[in-house]
Amino acid sequence: MGGGGSTRRVTFEADENENITVVKGVRLSDSVIDRMKEPSSPSGRQHRSSSAVNDEELKKRIAEELALERARRDSEAQKRRLKQEQAYVRDEFGKILDRERISSNEHLTRAILRERAATEEERQKAQRFAKQLEEKDRELKKHDAYYKEQLARLEERETLGERTQLHHI
């Protein structure tokens, strides 16, 4: 990036009004041209006797301006790429979070369904045990009634047997 190591050759000309014209494939903005025309020393522009010195100085300024412009464009391109990459990463994280959320919800749903099934099974088991308990309770009441009846008959026989014995005596 920048002008370090660039081997691009720029040829240019200055007309009689010192307007700079680029001859070989480089377009310069008006602001670049204006900066190149500015005097490099604080005392103002001095006319040099040799146009070669002016040409060399002008070439140097153009090269510097081109390097600055290239560095600025490269920097802007890097910023755009960085923003694109950030947007891509943000989108990918969003997708990952969505997949994780969906997976988590599915896992939670399966766990809830398993818990509901287990609860229903426990409820049915409790109903079966309640019915079995009611059956046992009815059976015990039948046995209790049967034994009470048997006991009453035995007591009645015993009472009759005592009376009969008393009549015989």
Side-chain angles (χ1 to χ4, degrees):
M1 284 185 231
S6 174
T7 59
R8 186 170 183 182
R9 186 171 184 95
V10 177
T11 55
F12 59 92
E13 297 175 349
D15 62 12
E16 60 277 352
N17 297 330
E18 292 190 26
N19 290 329
I20 297 169
T21 309
V22 176
V23 175
K24 189 175 182 180
V26 177
R27 216 170 75 199
L28 299 176
S29 67
D30 290 337
S31 63
V32 170
I33 293 170
D34 290 341
R35 284 194 303 257
M36 289 189 304
K37 287 181 180 179
E38 291 175 0
S40 59
S41 65
S43 64
R45 187 170 190 103
Q46 299 175 355
H47 292 285
R48 303 220 172 133
S49 59
S50 169
S51 70
V53 173
N54 284 337
D55 285 348
E56 286 302 316
E57 184 179 320
L58 208 55
K59 285 180 183 180
K60 183 179 174 186
R61 289 176 107 178
I62 289 173
E64 289 172 356
E65 291 295 328
L66 288 173
L68 288 172
E69 184 67 22
R70 192 176 309 118
R72 185 188 61 77
R73 279 194 309 260
D74 289 348
S75 175
E76 289 174 359
Q78 262 187 334
K79 285 178 185 177
R80 281 192 303 275
R81 280 193 303 273
L82 179 62
K83 285 182 181 180
Q84 288 172 344
E85 288 174 5
Q86 286 174 337
Y88 175 77
V89 168
R90 210 176 3 259
D91 289 346
E92 287 302 309
F93 273 132
K95 290 175 185 176
I96 290 169
L97 287 174
D98 286 344
R99 284 193 299 265
E100 286 296 319
R101 197 174 297 120
I102 289 168
S103 174
S104 177
N105 286 342
E106 289 172 353
H107 178 71
L108 185 60
T109 301
R110 284 192 300 269
I112 289 170
L113 290 176
R114 277 193 306 269
E115 194 60 36
R116 283 182 182 167
T119 302
E120 178 63 20
E121 188 178 318
E122 287 294 320
R123 186 187 65 76
Q124 289 174 355
K125 195 185 272 187
Q127 282 180 338
R128 280 193 309 271
F129 286 146
K131 284 181 183 178
Q132 288 174 355
L133 185 61
E134 286 174 8
E135 267 184 47
K136 289 283 183 183
D137 192 42
R138 278 194 298 272
E139 194 176 309
L140 286 174
K141 284 181 181 178
K142 282 182 187 177
H143 285 281
D144 189 44
Y146 173 77
Y147 289 123
K148 281 184 181 178
E149 184 182 321
Q150 292 299 320
L151 184 61
R153 282 186 188 165
L154 285 174
E155 287 176 351
E156 189 178 317
R157 277 189 198 163
E158 187 179 317
T159 307
L160 281 175
E162 287 177 8
R163 280 189 206 163
T164 315
Q165 283 179 355
L166 283 175
H167 282 345
H168 287 293
I169 308 188

